[in-house]
Amino acid sequence: AVVSTQSGHYGRADERHADNCMYTGVGLITATREFCQQRNKSIDIRVGIHTGIVLCGIVGGTKFKYDVWSSDAKLANYMESGGVPGRVHISDKTKGCLKDDWDFEEGFGSKREPELQGIRTWLLKQEFQDTVVIEPKKKDISETAIYKTVQKTKEKKRGSSAHTSKDFDGSVSLQHVI
């Protein structure tokens, strides 16, 4: 399940949020099909996308994880469970946020997921979905915040003989990343 957030990171709106989620969904389905062909396996995935507001953060006392929750996140989960294997299933709200030209058919999600009663849903048409080309982006990871934070931590550990393994617990602040 994918939640497309309208507010964006730190309140800066990304007007292509819904399209980015669509491309991600198509990419996940394509990657799954390629995996199956290469390994002679038979698995499939459903992709559900809804647009809304989420609350997210790091939770846990000893084992930390990043989590997302809200009624919109729950609805995205229902979009996935009410979807069709190998297809992208979206809410009417997400459809209204799309900028690119996509080709849909009625999704009838409530027939597969009772929690979607009263919500109009859409399925990306299979023949259209199969024509979407996703260009891989080559990103220099040395420019990412988490890479820089890890490198600084390694340099501090190497550069100072005053630090011992007892002083350094290996933790890295994610405040700069999130």
Side-chain angles (χ1 to χ4, degrees):
V2 179
V3 179
S4 166
T5 58
Q6 292 177 302
S7 62
H9 183 62
Y10 293 113
R12 293 186 305 258
D14 178 358
E15 63 184 40
R16 298 199 37 82
H17 61 89
D19 291 287
N20 292 340
C21 288
M22 291 293 295
Y23 286 112
T24 299
V26 171
L28 288 167
I29 291 168
T30 302
T32 301
R33 287 185 181 150
E34 289 172 2
F35 172 87
C36 290
Q37 288 174 350
Q38 292 168 357
R39 291 169 177 79
N40 198 24
K41 301 287 182 188
S42 179
I43 60 172
D44 218 338
I45 64 169
R46 296 182 306 255
V47 174
I49 303 173
H50 173 65
T51 300
I53 297 170
V54 296
L55 178 63
C56 48
I58 298 174
V59 295
T62 53
K63 183 178 179 184
F64 301 102
K65 72 174 189 169
Y66 187 77
D67 202 2
V68 178
W69 58 98
S70 74
S71 57
D72 287 315
K74 192 181 290 187
L75 185 53
N77 190 40
Y78 294 140
M79 292 301 301
E80 180 270 326
S81 63
V84 175
R87 303 283 298 278
V88 177
H89 186 220
I90 69 169
S91 66
D92 202 42
K93 189 172 181 181
T94 297
K95 187 176 185 234
C97 295
L98 294 170
K99 304 293 182 199
D100 291 347
D101 291 324
W102 299 89
D103 197 6
F104 294 99
E105 60 191 351
E106 285 283 345
F108 302 107
S110 62
K111 290 185 177 183
R112 294 175 300 276
E113 174 55 68
E115 295 293 332
L116 293 175
Q117 288 295 327
I119 298 171
R120 190 171 188 189
T121 68
W122 303 91
L123 287 167
L124 186 58
K125 284 188 176 178
Q126 187 69 55
E127 57 272 13
F128 182 84
Q129 182 172 303
D130 292 341
T131 65
V132 175
V133 176
I134 300 172
E135 295 290 329
K137 291 183 179 178
K138 294 181 180 175
K139 185 174 183 179
D140 179 5
I141 66 161
S142 66
E143 293 302 313
T144 62
I146 196 159
Y147 179 84
K148 289 177 180 178
T149 304
V150 169
Q151 292 307 310
K152 284 180 185 177
T153 304
K154 285 181 179 179
E155 287 172 16
K156 284 181 184 178
K157 186 177 179 185
R158 276 183 291 206
S160 173
S161 59
H163 293 291
T164 65
S165 59
K166 189 176 183 182
D167 298 322
F168 180 74
D169 64 356
S171 64
V172 177
S173 170
L174 294 179
Q175 184 176 8
H176 304 288
V177 180
I178 299 172

